[in-house]
Amino acid sequence: MPEWKACTVRVLYLVRELLNKNFDVCVLILKYPHEKICIWNLHGEEVTLAKFISIPRRLVLEPLSPLPGIAFIAKSLDKCFDVAIATVPPHDTAFVAYYLKKLSYVDKLIVDIRGTTPSLMPDVYGYKFSRLQLLLSTFGVEFYHRVLRVADAIVAITEGFAKYYEPIAGKPIYVVHNGADYELFSKYSNTTMSNYPPLAVFVGDVEAKYHLVDVMLKAVSLLGRKGLDIRLRIIGCSSKVKEYYQGLAKSLGVQDLIEFVGVVPYFNLPRYVLSLIHISEPTRPLYISYA
């Protein structure tokens, strides 16, 4: 995946820290049919590419999807491993790691939770065959929760995620904020502004429905009607989806409060965000959501 994707960045930092602790690390990349993937390593880790044939996403939240391709995945691994760390989302990774443990390719399973997407899929996405697909998706959510219950350990990026999943998993969840990329953001963590109006910055995959960008636009509209003018800058928005959200912002009457910015490389984000408050309007407090 592109190095600026949140899921990729988290894995890269995790790999680096494990290598620094003298672990042997192998990154397993799942390759879908006709998908072009550039394989690289940044810190000397081993990288393995495995063919991944899956049941279509919109049919079912995939507890069964790895089964057609699990033989290819197992064949790609030339040895067994002590631990598998599955970073979710994408939720495929949790199911693949679960089966690898069942097949004794790994001894222990750690699930690394970056979002609640797998638990919310039936509520976020519309379905052509709604009753059937809702039933299948509900089964998928329950299966994912089962994976959490059998996992040897679970890590989450926020206290909120930990609090949400601890009753489901039946075990304590460890929090590692934002994927351990502390030095990238920590140097700016004490930068604060206190005056009105506030500026909110969203960074994420805007095309992903579960990020609920439409809800953010409606929130800006609601806050405006309540007398609070908050400006929102959305980073990562382009092409047709940008036109859609621009139209939605206009229909809500908040087009002057919303700015859509294209993709900004992840490693440039702190400096870019800092420029917003130092150069543009230095009196604003800053709220950032990284997705």
Side-chain angles (χ1 to χ4, degrees):
M1 289 189 176
E3 65 274 11
W4 47 263
K5 283 274 191 177
C7 50
T8 309
V9 170
R10 182 163 172 80
V11 171
L12 289 177
Y13 275 99
L14 180 60
V15 165
R16 188 191 64 185
E17 294 305 318
L18 290 173
L19 288 170
N20 286 341
K21 298 296 184 182
N22 297 319
F23 286 95
D24 292 324
V25 180
C26 175
V27 178
L28 177 63
I29 299 177
L30 305 180
K31 180 184 180 301
Y32 293 90
H34 311 299
E35 185 179 25
K36 294 182 179 179
I37 295 180
C38 179
I39 301 178
W40 76 100
N41 68 59
L42 295 181
H43 310 296
E45 71 275 13
E46 180 183 348
V47 179
T48 297
L49 183 68
K51 295 179 181 179
F52 187 59
I53 303 171
S54 67
I55 300 170
R57 286 182 183 277
R58 292 186 64 81
L59 176 63
V60 58
L61 178 60
E62 301 111 323
L64 304 179
S65 66
L67 291 180
I70 198 69
F72 293 106
I73 297 171
K75 186 177 179 181
S76 301
L77 301 174
D78 58 359
K79 57 185 176 182
C80 296
F81 295 88
D82 296 325
V83 181
I85 302 176
T87 298
V88 182
H91 46 267
D92 301 336
T93 59
F95 299 133
V96 168
Y98 171 82
Y99 287 119
L100 289 177
K101 181 177 180 180
K102 284 290 186 180
L103 294 171
S104 300
Y105 280 90
V106 299
D107 184 33
K108 295 186 181 298
L109 168 61
I110 298 175
V111 179
D112 173 34
I113 299 177
R114 297 185 301 104
T116 56
T117 314
S119 300
L120 300 176
M121 291 288 277
D123 301 320
V124 174
Y125 288 95
Y127 298 103
K128 186 174 181 180
F129 305 102
S130 57
R131 291 187 178 180
L132 173 61
Q133 291 172 326
L134 179 61
L135 178 64
L136 292 173
S137 294
T138 302
F139 162 71
V141 171
E142 292 175 352
F143 196 98
Y144 172 64
H145 292 170
R146 176 184 173 186
V147 174
L148 297 183
R149 287 191 289 271
V150 303
D152 296 281
I154 302 175
V155 178
I157 64 170
T158 69
E159 287 88 351
F161 290 162
K163 186 175 181 180
Y164 178 83
Y165 276 114
E166 278 183 348
I168 295 172
K171 58 173 66 73
I173 295 179
Y174 305 94
V175 178
V176 179
H177 294 282
N178 204 31
D181 52 350
Y182 297 115
E183 74 279 12
L184 183 61
F185 293 94
S186 61
K187 64 181 68 175
Y188 306 110
S189 62
N190 293 324
T191 302
T192 58
M193 299 293 169
S194 59
N195 294 335
Y196 180 87
L199 168 67
V201 180
F202 170 83
V203 183
D205 183 358
V206 180
E207 296 188 14
K209 290 184 179 180
Y210 64 84
H211 284 161
L212 304 177
V213 174
D214 54 339
V215 175
M216 297 182 200
L217 302 187
K218 293 173 183 177
V220 171
S221 175
L222 177 61
L223 290 170
R225 294 198 300 272
K226 296 289 186 180
L228 173 62
D229 288 330
I230 182 169
R231 297 180 180 273
L232 174 62
R233 186 162 298 186
I234 298 177
I235 299 175
C237 202
S238 59
S239 66
K240 292 183 179 180
V241 70
K242 178 179 179 179
E243 296 177 5
Y244 168 77
Y245 285 122
Q246 283 177 325
L248 178 59
K250 185 175 181 179
S251 68
L252 293 170
V254 295
Q255 66 271 22
D256 295 333
L257 301 176
I258 311 293
E259 181 181 355
F260 297 93
V261 182
V263 172
V264 175
Y266 189 85
F267 295 97
N268 294 342
L269 279 174
R271 185 171 299 175
Y272 174 79
V273 171
L274 199 64
S275 72
L276 301 180
I277 55 178
H278 276 283
I279 298 174
S280 300
E281 299 177 55
T283 59
R284 291 181 176 181
L286 185 68
Y287 304 96
I288 307 175
S289 170
Y290 293 102

